[in-house]
């Protein structure tokens, strides 16, 4: 074992079950996991079955990267099952929804 790994500056971990929960819209919850000094951040988004974003979700100021952890995510154009990775460049948009419910890992490399 190498316990000194945990003493490295910036080395951190987060548990989804212990992350604070913020309801963005009815049935859509955000769990922040990490935020870096440059504004990059990582979250888990949970969407209940039959929920959808009430408007366009525009990716600003930077890109959004999505990994579908569970369920099926729809971006307003097509379904993406668990195991799918999506990269949405800055300035693009989608309208998140799900019929089955889904859990997403979201990463914003530029904030």
């Amino acid at each position: 074992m190498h316990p000194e790994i945990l003493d490295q500056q910036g080395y951190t971990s987060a548990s989804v079950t212990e992350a604070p929960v913020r309801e963005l819209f009815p049935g859509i919850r955000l769990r922040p996991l990490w935020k870096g000094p440059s504004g990059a951040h990582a979250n888990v988004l949970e969407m209940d079955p039959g929920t959808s974003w009430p408007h366009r979700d525009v990716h600003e100021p930077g890109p959004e990267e999505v990994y579908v952890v569970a369920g099926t995510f729809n971006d307003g154009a097509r379904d993406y099952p668990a195991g799918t990775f999506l990269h949405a460049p800055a300035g693009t948009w989608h309208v998140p929804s799900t019929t089955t419910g889904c859990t997403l890992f979201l990463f914003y490399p530029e904030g």
Side-chain angles (χ1 to χ4, degrees):
M1 295 295 295
H2 300 278
E4 66 273 16
I5 290 170
L6 303 177
D7 295 331
Q8 299 175 95
Q9 184 176 356
Y11 196 93
T12 188
S13 66
S15 168
V16 171
T17 59
E18 295 175 8
V21 179
R22 188 175 95 206
E23 187 168 56
L24 301 178
F25 306 107
I28 301 176
R29 296 167 303 283
L30 183 72
R31 294 177 181 263
L33 297 177
W34 171 82
K35 185 166 187 174
S38 67
H41 58 283
N43 304 304
V44 166
L45 186 77
E46 302 164 335
M47 298 179 69
D48 290 344
T51 57
S52 65
W53 218 253
H55 51 75
R56 287 184 178 185
D57 179 27
V58 181
H59 308 112
E60 294 176 334
E64 177 185 66
E65 297 180 343
V66 177
Y67 180 75
V68 182
V69 176
T72 301
F73 170 72
N74 184 288
D75 61 4
R78 64 175 283 205
D79 285 337
Y80 300 94
T84 302
F85 171 80
L86 296 99
H87 172 80
T92 62
W93 60 273
H94 60 201
V95 182
S97 68
T98 180
T99 57
T100 64
C102 63
T103 301
L104 310 174
F105 174 76
L106 308 176
F107 182 64
Y108 301 91
E110 297 176 23

